[in-house]
Amino acid sequence: MGLSCTIGLSLLLCLQTVTCHYFYPNQTGVGDIFPLLIDVTTEELETGLERGLFTSIDLVNAYTARILEVNSTLNVVTELNPDALSIAAELDAERANGTTRGPLHGMPILIKGNIGTADRMSTTAGSFALLGATLPRDSSVAAKLRAAGVVILGKTNLSQWANFRSLNSSNGWSAYGGQTFGAYYPQQDPSGSSSGSGVASSLGLALATLGSETSGSILSPSQVNNLVGIKPTVGLTSRALVIPISERQDTIGPMARTVRDAAYLLQAIAGRDPDDNYTLAQPFDNPPDYVGALNYSSLRGRRIGIPRNIITGFEGDGPLLAAFEGAIQTVRRAGAVIIDNTNITAYALDQYLNGNASLIVLEADFVTDLPQNYLSKLVSNPNNVQNLADVSNFTRAFPPEEYPSRDTGIWDEALALGFNNSSPQFWSFYENNLEVVRDIPELCLQSPYEKMLVDKEYWAS
């Protein structure tokens, strides 16, 4: 629904048209074979830009045309950046003057609809409650992308509120963006909550995308959409001005078609941020060279545990499990030490399958973190939602939010707790989480530093 507001502008952006699968933006370099948008890599685009075969403006037009071609069917993108062309022009001018900000200079990237930007796009988490609300500045990860020369092309749909509203909704649905579908067969479940980011990256609607994860929201849609998804350790990437669920588990990461593309994007967004104190626990002044680490010898001597008692298959999962076993042999041949049957304890398994402490921690965090870390920061707040109760009341009263056919069951549970993450009652549930995590088998831990990390809330992610 949000995209319809910018459809007229988007059509203007596409006056330099491209075909739906191939990229022929201009006549420079006649005879060159241009890569397919659906599988082009960072380095291929960088080479083309450096050789003058195309410009960042051409890329914006190409990707925008591709979005418009599929979006009415798949509901992937909710916002197109009306400033994308002018940003691309500035970046083209920098390149023409011999200045580039890095390997992502001039590259169009889409970001999940809960990642805040201080521009003419909305940040809604898929809810009309936040439509029209504005921020004082970009989220820290968006600011890092811009500093790296990225063109933030638009925002993707998501499971509403990062799948933290309803007990009976569907992956990829939001009131603002509608129902996202995967691209592999009609009405495919795209998984979530980074549903639009997963489908967009898989279809080549941008070079790559950003997603967010609290529990599976990058990894699961990456699996379903045939992508490389990286869930960074909590605190490696800033969550400042990203609509939160839990300060203890939220993290922002890349979703791309190759490991190298994902590494380039992670390199751009990782690092300390004074606006997110979890990032200040990073044990390095600057992030490692993730792209430089991509060589076959990087796994030599690394210890990788296989917890067999939580690896289960369902009917039809034979090829998936076979691929998993093949991957184990690949990393073994690369020099990794495979520690098989590093099974979690019976207590931890029971808590994983039957316990509720992890959900209670998320709910209590959400009650605190939503108003404290996001709503209170808004410059404008047209619907005057100040806390979770306000958001719930708006959702129940505003028909496009589809309540009660899509309920507010998770919020109801959170509000019924009667406490938040600063209350004494909270800590027993959090300690339960940490106790489960401490049941990581000692066999996997090879150094005092690794053992120390088990006692950190790092591992609660």
Side-chain angles (χ1 to χ4, degrees):
M1 184 171 296
L3 189 59
S4 64
C5 299
T6 55
I7 197 79
L9 175 64
S10 300
L11 288 171
L12 290 176
L13 299 185
C14 294
L15 291 177
Q16 296 179 9
T17 187
V18 295
T19 66
C20 62
H21 298 293
Y22 295 89
F23 179 31
Y24 297 102
N26 58 41
Q27 297 302 310
T28 303
V30 173
D32 289 292
I33 299 175
F34 289 88
L36 302 174
L37 285 180
I38 202 167
D39 57 18
V40 68
T41 67
T42 301
E43 289 163 359
E44 288 173 325
L45 288 183
E46 186 177 27
T47 297
L49 288 166
E50 281 294 308
R51 292 177 59 192
L53 301 181
F54 45 81
T55 65
S56 294
I57 287 177
D58 292 326
L59 291 178
V60 168
N61 284 324
Y63 282 118
T64 302
R66 183 70 173 126
I67 290 167
L68 294 175
E69 183 180 43
V70 303
N71 208 56
S72 61
T73 302
L74 301 178
N75 291 324
V76 178
V77 177
T78 58
E79 303 276 340
L80 282 172
N81 187 352
D83 299 315
L85 275 180
S86 61
I87 293 169
E90 292 173 5
L91 293 166
D92 283 336
E94 289 180 15
R95 187 181 294 276
N97 289 331
T99 300
T100 58
R101 305 184 191 185
L104 295 177
H105 187 102
M107 308 288 183
I109 300 291
L110 290 163
I111 64 176
K112 189 174 178 179
N114 60 348
I115 298 175
T117 53
D119 54 16
R120 291 194 283 169
M121 293 187 289
S122 294
T123 306
T124 65
S127 171
F128 284 100
L130 293 178
L131 184 61
T134 58
L135 291 164
R137 62 185 185 280
D138 282 335
S139 61
S140 296
V141 288
K144 282 178 173 286
L145 288 180
R146 296 193 205 272
V150 164
V151 180
I152 299 178
L153 183 61
K155 297 192 179 182
T156 59
N157 198 23
L158 69 161
S159 307
Q160 193 182 47
W161 293 100
N163 214 12
F164 210 71
R165 165 192 154 178
S166 301
L167 297 172
N168 66 341
S169 192
S170 54
N171 288 325
W173 179 88
S174 75
Y176 182 60
Q179 178 64 60
T180 295
F181 295 108
Y184 285 92
Y185 54 86
Q187 297 189 322
Q188 179 197 344
D189 184 337
S191 191
S193 66
S194 302
S195 312
S197 291
V199 179
S201 190
S202 75
L203 278 176
L205 306 190
L207 171 63
T209 61
L210 283 190
S212 69
E213 174 157 340
T214 307
S215 181
S217 289
I218 290 174
L219 299 182
S220 183
S222 293
Q223 176 195 1
V224 167
N225 291 285
N226 198 30
L227 297 173
V228 176
I230 298 177
K231 175 191 177 180
T233 299
V234 173
L236 181 62
T237 57
S238 173
R239 294 82 50 86
L241 295 184
V242 177
I243 298 171
I245 292 176
S246 167
E247 63 189 74
R248 289 167 176 77
Q249 289 190 214
D250 292 349
T251 189
I252 315 301
M255 301 172 73
R257 294 179 297 278
T258 71
V259 175
R260 186 171 292 273
D261 288 343
Y264 276 118
L265 199 48
L266 180 61
Q267 196 78 57
I269 63 173
R272 293 177 179 169
D273 175 19
D275 292 319
D276 182 350
N277 65 344
Y278 278 68
T279 67
L280 304 182
Q282 293 180 17
F284 34 70
D285 292 329
N286 295 295
D289 182 359
Y290 299 114
V291 179
L294 296 178
N295 62 77
Y296 198 67
S297 64
S298 295
L299 286 170
R300 187 172 299 133
R302 304 296 182 184
R303 297 161 65 88
I304 298 177
I306 313 295
R308 293 285 179 183
N309 66 336
I310 59 170
I311 299 172
T312 57
F314 299 94
E315 184 177 356
D317 280 350
L320 182 66
L321 294 174
F324 176 73
E325 295 297 333
I328 294 173
Q329 298 311 311
T330 298
V331 296
R332 190 194 300 273
R333 288 193 296 272
V337 178
I338 302 299
I339 311 297
D340 217 335
N341 292 304
T342 53
N343 297 330
I344 67 174
T345 66
Y347 170 76
L349 185 61
D350 178 69
Q351 289 296 303
Y352 172 73
L353 295 174
N354 304 309
N356 66 348
S358 60
L359 178 59
I360 289 174
V361 168
L362 298 184
E363 290 171 345
D365 270 349
F366 191 54
V367 169
T368 299
D369 294 347
L370 178 62
Q372 179 173 290
N373 296 340
Y374 194 80
L375 298 179
S376 66
K377 312 289 187 184
L378 295 174
V379 173
S380 63
N381 186 349
N383 292 308
N384 195 32
V385 287
Q386 303 294 332
N387 51 45
L388 178 55
D390 289 345
V391 172
S392 182
N393 290 337
F394 175 92
T395 300
R396 289 169 175 244
F398 193 66
E401 293 285 332
E402 296 192 14
Y403 179 87
S405 61
R406 298 179 191 267
D407 64 32
T408 55
I410 294 175
W411 297 349
D412 299 343
E413 291 177 2
L415 293 168
L417 288 177
F419 61 84
N420 61 28
N421 66 6
S422 64
S423 304
Q425 302 97 306
F426 171 79
W427 295 103
S428 63
F429 296 102
Y430 184 49
E431 282 297 327
N432 179 273
N433 271 3
L434 293 180
E435 185 177 355
V436 170
V437 172
R438 291 188 187 105
D439 279 337
I440 296 172
E442 287 288 319
L443 203 56
C444 286
L445 306 178
Q446 63 175 342
S447 71
Y449 176 69
E450 288 173 316
K451 293 178 181 179
M452 176 190 73
L453 284 181
V454 171
D455 293 324
K456 297 281 189 181
E457 47 189 38
Y458 255 45
W459 285 87
S461 67

